[in-house]
Amino acid sequence: MRPGQVERRTHDYERHGTTTLFAGLMAAVTHVKAGCVIGKCMSRHRAQEFRKFLDEKRNVPIGLGVHVIMDNASSHKTRLIRNWFARRPHWHQHFTPTSSSWVNQVERFFALLAEKQIKRGAHKSVKELIAAIEEIMQQRNANPKPIRWTKPADDILASIERFCRRTLDTHALSA
């Protein structure tokens, strides 16, 4: 590629399979640095796989409250998952509002992962793709930093208000 040249894919680009990454970011925990990524690649994105991810030993001190922030994926809302949380009262589940993935910090990690590894990668197999994902997680965990929002809440709310006003104005003109 040259400066100013648009990135392209050839007509014979071949996708060699997919994987699902269940992941989380650690906040302030006693023995794990804030910003560490925990993750597991699995072949499918169902409640069974999500429960396997939750079941893995995380070395969370007993009695410490664990807050799991999730999007509204159907795999997060099944009876299997509700029952799992019900048996663990110190684990608390929170759901982000629809269309607001920016609220969930692990989604920002997914964006970084896609930007640095997935979109420009040429993985010849799912195994190679998983190895690349695990490498990015290891690199991040070698020097973890919490993801911090830099925009004040007032600026975010003002941006949402401008968007809503533009949307309403557009609909008013077309009516």
Side-chain angles (χ1 to χ4, degrees):
M1 288 183 42
R2 295 183 305 270
Q5 182 179 0
V6 177
E7 183 176 9
R8 301 180 286 240
R9 292 229 183 248
T10 61
H11 71 284
D12 59 352
Y13 166 74
E14 186 177 338
R15 188 172 171 177
H16 297 284
T18 62
T19 187
T20 291
L21 173 62
F22 290 103
L25 288 170
M26 301 301 283
V29 179
T30 54
H31 63 285
V32 178
K33 281 189 168 183
C36 281
V37 178
I38 52 170
K40 179 83 173 159
C41 290
M42 298 191 188
S43 59
R44 299 191 61 186
H45 192 93
R46 301 176 303 174
Q48 296 93 313
E49 286 80 16
F50 183 53
R51 180 174 170 184
K52 285 179 190 174
F53 172 70
L54 291 172
D55 280 338
E56 287 192 4
K57 301 241 186 283
R58 300 282 178 233
N59 298 323
V60 177
I62 293 176
L64 181 69
V66 178
H67 294 266
V68 181
I69 302 168
M70 302 172 279
D71 61 13
N72 288 283
S74 60
S75 60
H76 299 154
K77 294 183 166 188
T78 65
R79 176 172 287 164
L80 177 72
I81 301 303
R82 285 193 311 268
N83 290 343
W84 189 95
F85 278 100
R87 289 189 304 275
R88 292 160 181 84
H90 65 285
W91 285 68
H92 310 282
Q93 54 184 329
H94 307 279
F95 292 96
T96 58
T98 304
S99 300
S100 61
S101 60
W102 58 272
V103 173
N104 191 345
Q105 291 190 349
V106 80
E107 293 288 345
R108 183 63 198 130
F109 169 73
F110 289 155
L112 289 170
L113 177 66
E115 184 182 304
K116 292 183 181 295
Q117 187 57 255
I118 307 299
K119 288 183 180 176
R120 302 186 95 182
H123 307 101
K124 293 183 174 81
S125 68
V126 174
K127 189 176 180 179
E128 196 175 296
L129 171 62
I130 291 170
I133 291 170
E134 289 172 349
E135 180 182 336
I136 289 284
M137 287 192 295
Q138 287 172 355
Q139 288 172 1
R140 179 178 178 85
N141 290 343
N143 187 21
K145 292 182 180 67
I147 295 174
R148 298 201 190 279
W149 287 301
T150 57
K151 190 175 259 197
D154 289 341
D155 291 352
I156 294 170
L157 292 173
S159 176
I160 292 169
E161 182 181 5
R162 286 191 304 274
F163 172 78
C164 291
R165 287 187 191 282
R166 280 194 313 269
T167 303
L168 289 172
D169 290 346
T170 302
H171 285 295
L173 292 174
S174 64

